Amino acid sequence: VHQDSPVAVLQTAEKRGVFSVGSHFNGIQYAPEGWLTGAEWVWGESIDDVVQDDIDGTWQSTIIRGGLRDGYVALSPFGPSVEAEVQADVAAAREKLQTGELQVFQGEIRDRDGEIRVPAGQAADFKTLETMDWVVEGVIGVIPR
């Protein structure tokens, strides 16, 4: 679910027997039986720093990006239908993401025309991911040629 007001989507999905995974939102309280998990922002220190810079008169416009490893994103609680074994597997993967051992967007990654976009042994950084104007090899019909 990735929208401003996801509650209706979560509840409708649950009523129809469809599971939900949230984005930027912990929805377990709104659809506990249909909720699997999600990723949610952790503003904490990052927003504290921005506010303090503003108070100090030193704030400058900048892009702030981070993930699990940086403490900017957290895994939402699991719903009751997520088995303990799956939860353990997710916890192990989360640990590897936090230490950098696991890189989701690890190269070699080619676009659908065969051009190498992320070389072997390298991982795509936030800038690469956020400025993608190409489609990964094997994906069709997303961006017109």
Side-chain angles (χ1 to χ4, degrees):
V1 176
H2 190 125
Q3 62 177 28
D4 291 336
S5 301
V7 175
V9 174
L10 295 174
Q11 291 174 342
T12 300
E14 182 178 72
K15 286 177 187 172
R16 294 181 178 177
V18 176
F19 291 108
S20 304
V21 175
S23 176
H24 312 298
F25 180 76
N26 174 0
I28 193 166
Q29 66 186 359
Y30 301 107
E33 298 305 313
W35 180 256
L36 296 176
T37 189
E40 53 188 275
W41 292 114
V42 179
W43 291 105
E45 289 182 28
S46 63
I47 200 69
D48 290 348
D49 292 343
V50 170
V51 171
Q52 189 61 55
D53 287 348
D54 186 46
I55 291 168
D56 296 343
T58 59
W59 179 85
Q60 295 182 1
S61 178
T62 186
I63 296 174
I64 300 172
R65 293 291 182 260
L68 281 168
R69 187 175 186 179
D70 308 296
Y72 288 11
V73 178
L75 185 67
S76 299
F78 291 103
S81 63
V82 181
E83 298 173 359
E85 183 179 337
V86 172
Q87 292 183 34
D89 289 346
V90 171
R94 179 179 55 206
E95 178 65 28
K96 289 179 181 179
L97 285 167
Q98 290 173 308
T99 64
E101 181 182 345
L102 175 61
Q103 296 288 329
V104 176
F105 300 101
Q106 180 81 31
E108 176 180 284
I109 300 175
R110 295 176 179 263
D111 66 19
R112 68 178 175 193
D113 295 321
E115 180 182 341
I116 296 173
R117 296 299 189 124
V118 181
Q122 293 184 19
D125 59 14
F126 285 112
K127 183 177 180 182
T128 299
L129 296 173
E130 291 183 348
T131 60
M132 283 178 68
D133 61 354
W134 50 276
V135 178
V136 174
E137 187 173 55
V139 176
I140 57 171
V142 178
I143 297 176
R145 291 181 182 251

